[in-house]
Amino acid sequence: MATLDDISVTALKGVGASLAGTLSKLGICSVQDLLFHLPHRYQDRTRIVPLINLRVGDHCVVEGEVTDSNVVMGRRRSLQVSLRDGDGFVSLRFFHFNAAQKQQMSEGTRLRCFGEVRRGRAGLELYHPEYKVVSGDELNPVEEMLTPVYPLTEGVQQNRIRSLCQQALSWLDRYEIRDWIPDSVRLRYQFPSINDAIRYLHHPPVDANQLLLLEGVHPYQQRLVFEELLAHHFSLLRLRQAVQSHKALPLTGGEALHQALLESLPFSLTGAQQCVVDEIKADVQKPIPMLRLVQGDVGSGKTIVAALAALQAVDNHCQIALMAPTEILAEQHWINFQQWFAPLGISMAWLSGKTKGKQREEALARIASGDASVVIGTHALFQQEVQFHQLALAIIDEQHRFGVHQRLALKDKGEQSGFVPHQLIMTATPIPRTLAMSAYADLDTSVIDELPPGRQAIETVVLSDVRRMDVIERVRKACIEGRQAYWVCTLVEESEVLQCQAAEVTAGALTDQLPELKVGLVHGRMKAKEKSAVMEAFKEGHLDLLVATTVIEVGVDVPNASLIIIENPERLGLAQLHQLRGRVGRGDTASFCVLMYHPPLSQNGKARLKVMRESNNGFVIAEKDLEIRGPGEVLGTRQTGLMQFRLAELERDKQWLPEIKALAPALLNDNKLVDALITRWLGDNVQYGAV
Ligand code: ADP
Ligand code: MG
């Protein structure tokens, strides 16, 4: 028997090739896809809201008598109709109208309208509401149930989708949607059947609990939310399986090198660092690829952990690739690793997008021959032409700028030698627990939850840029006392050019205003050589003040710098601010961060800067960031491919995540079930399809 996922939407009345094409942009090809195209909201047209109770943002039905009707000439000509219902008033505003409509809505007419309440020129307004003329005394019924609102794409109207979904529902009388959730699970959570849930959500009955539906927490919705989250979780576990179905070189030994490096350091590892080092050691000894994410707050000392992991591979005569998302960060690693590894006689190679000509050829040759054991660079290391000799370990810093794609590209790099490299991913942007559980289900995670001893909390102050002169004085004082400072310029525009120009202007002004200080400048458009010369000068203490764009966000490590000024912090995400702030507080002097905003500050902006002032803990800040901005933003756009949910909302639905995590491994072997759920919820274009 045919099933609903075999039946094309063209089987529906009124769907021809062109509409089918448009629908396919929404991922809708079969009748079943249409049934899973669920309302993302509902409109409540079941009751008339008294005008006095209207709030901005509400979508609602109102009814009242026209008290006035005027054509207003503003920037755009519009028809403004005033409506009264006893105690309350509202204005209806129409930009497109004809004489008949104007006539129809004359004084004394009773209107029933549906629309969104906005704040307009004349107080609360409904823009272009749907309306009809009603007579006062008859009981015109409003809708009996909630009206579904579907996600749309260009070229399909809401009403069209509504009627198509209604048609699709009628097919449910003849065909069933396969329910993949095992009975035992359904019973445990008292889930309704999938068919009932689908019917209900497209067409909520009269007595439906509207409050729950509007919030997305109705049992029928939660039944599907659970299934969607499960499908996403499966897709990540599949990714993990795909990588781990390959062999990796087991990396053993390494003790002597570890000891030599540790003895050369001026400090000993913290307990948290030691734990993570041990976890990595246990992973890489296995013949299956490690997939481990190390989270550690800014300054928690991830670099040395990476170096120790690298030594383990060196001891097995294999190659290591260390990748960073920016040139400047990669250079910092290069400097650190050289300092640590050169005395141990380990050969290294550098490769970035800017490595050109002879240098590039030489680097490529040394990588291909295996002459270079440790290869450090940017994502240039992913390029086709880079051939490794025996890549056994890939270390990726700041993973959330790298996507799943790159994780897979890496797998291919290693395959050239028949093994897949172990992967160690390090991030300084703590990922809230809920996100980590859903977005990184394919990774094991370690947390460095302790800072090296002696660190002092950074004191953060929030100031208006009206106080710029005071701030400059503060910089002067700190630098005269022998400390160093950063001055970070940000701009709204994404344009790197403009950002760099702004930094140049600021550096010029500060050089004039602070003649007794040595001021340096670093930005993204400088040549790699120039950049590292400036960074080096700052690190060596030859510069007092470093003016920079957000390129210094990650990885820069100058313990003597104890003051950072961040301009326009209200434009940055909290995680990014936390990263920037982490450039100071790396030594044992008390450190300060000045967040210098440009007034006026929005409510939201105030709230965010307050979080920065009150917390120095990356995890707390990340949780707040998630609350304020949502998961897509927090993870960065490139990472969101797998994070687009249809129904689920991580914050609201997070209680399911531990349940799903516990349940999924047992179901993962049922390939049919897993395939079906992934296709149902994520469609065919799952990123690792080619694995
Ligand atoms: P992040 O986790 O932000 O990458 P880094 O690896 O750059 O941090 O380390 C920050 C600073 O702390 C560096 O100067 C590093 O040498 C130092 N450091 C790392 N581990 C320790 C430790 N156990 N004790 C003291 N200092 C340490
Ligand atoms: Mg780092």
Side-chain angles (χ1 to χ4, degrees), residues 227-361:
E227 191 176 304
E228 181 175 32
L229 290 171
L230 183 64
H232 276 257
H233 196 77
F234 280 147
S235 80
L236 286 168
L237 293 184
R238 272 280 174 86
L239 175 63
R240 179 184 173 87
Q241 274 187 331
V243 173
Q244 294 204 326
S245 66
H246 298 264
K247 280 207 191 67
L249 273 171
L251 306 175
T252 54
E255 284 81 11
L257 283 174
H258 276 188
Q259 201 165 352
L261 175 58
L262 290 173
E263 276 169 10
S264 76
L265 295 176
F267 54 79
S268 47
L269 296 185
T270 62
Q273 283 171 318
Q274 188 60 57
C275 279
V276 176
V277 168
D278 291 342
E279 282 173 328
I280 295 170
K281 228 182 201 166
D283 281 352
V284 298
Q285 282 177 13
K286 296 184 195 148
I288 46 173
M290 163 173 78
L291 286 169
R292 184 167 288 280
L293 173 73
V294 174
Q295 295 189 60
D297 208 344
V298 198
S300 62
K302 291 180 292 295
T303 320
I304 188 70
V305 171
L308 289 165
L311 287 183
Q312 187 116 1
V314 169
D315 209 28
N316 287 267
H317 308 288
C318 297
Q319 284 179 309
I320 297 97
L322 169 56
M323 254 158 295
T326 66
E327 191 107 349
I328 207 158
L329 178 53
E331 268 164 40
Q332 290 289 312
H333 285 318
W334 175 255
I335 294 168
N336 278 320
F337 275 64
Q338 274 224 312
Q339 191 191 336
W340 290 332
F341 286 3
L344 302 176
I346 298 168
S347 71
M348 295 176 37
W350 166 261
L351 190 77
S352 84
K354 291 183 180 157
T355 318
K356 292 269 152 64
K358 233 181 143 160
Q359 264 181 321
R360 182 177 191 86
E361 273 165 39

Side-chain angles (χ1 to χ4, degrees), residues 298-299 301-303 329 333 397-398 426 428 554-556 583 586:
V298 198
K302 291 180 292 295
T303 320
L329 178 53
H333 285 318
D397 202 3
E398 298 302 330
M426 303 191 297
V554 276
V556 177
R583 293 318 101 206
R586 304 193 145 229

Side-chain angles (χ1 to χ4, degrees), residues 560-637:
N560 189 47
S562 63
L563 174 60
I564 185 166
I565 318 296
I566 305 173
E567 288 200 66
N568 306 314
E570 67 275 20
R571 293 167 179 174
L572 303 181
L574 292 186
Q576 198 181 4
L577 281 175
H578 183 62
Q579 288 292 316
L580 282 170
R581 179 171 64 180
R583 293 318 101 206
V584 299
R586 304 193 145 229
D588 39 25
T589 37
S591 293
F592 299 89
C593 169
V594 178
L595 301 176
M596 192 167 66
Y597 66 88
H598 186 69
L601 208 49
S602 69
Q603 251 351 76
N604 187 300
K606 260 185 212 147
R608 286 153 33 108
L609 295 186
K610 182 157 171 271
V611 172
M612 291 304 297
R613 204 175 56 219
E614 289 176 352
S615 182
N616 263 308
N617 180 322
F619 283 89
V620 172
I621 291 173
E623 294 283 355
K624 294 279 182 200
D625 211 18
L626 180 64
E627 265 171 44
I628 299 174
R629 293 195 304 158
E633 289 281 312
V634 173
L635 282 175
T637 45

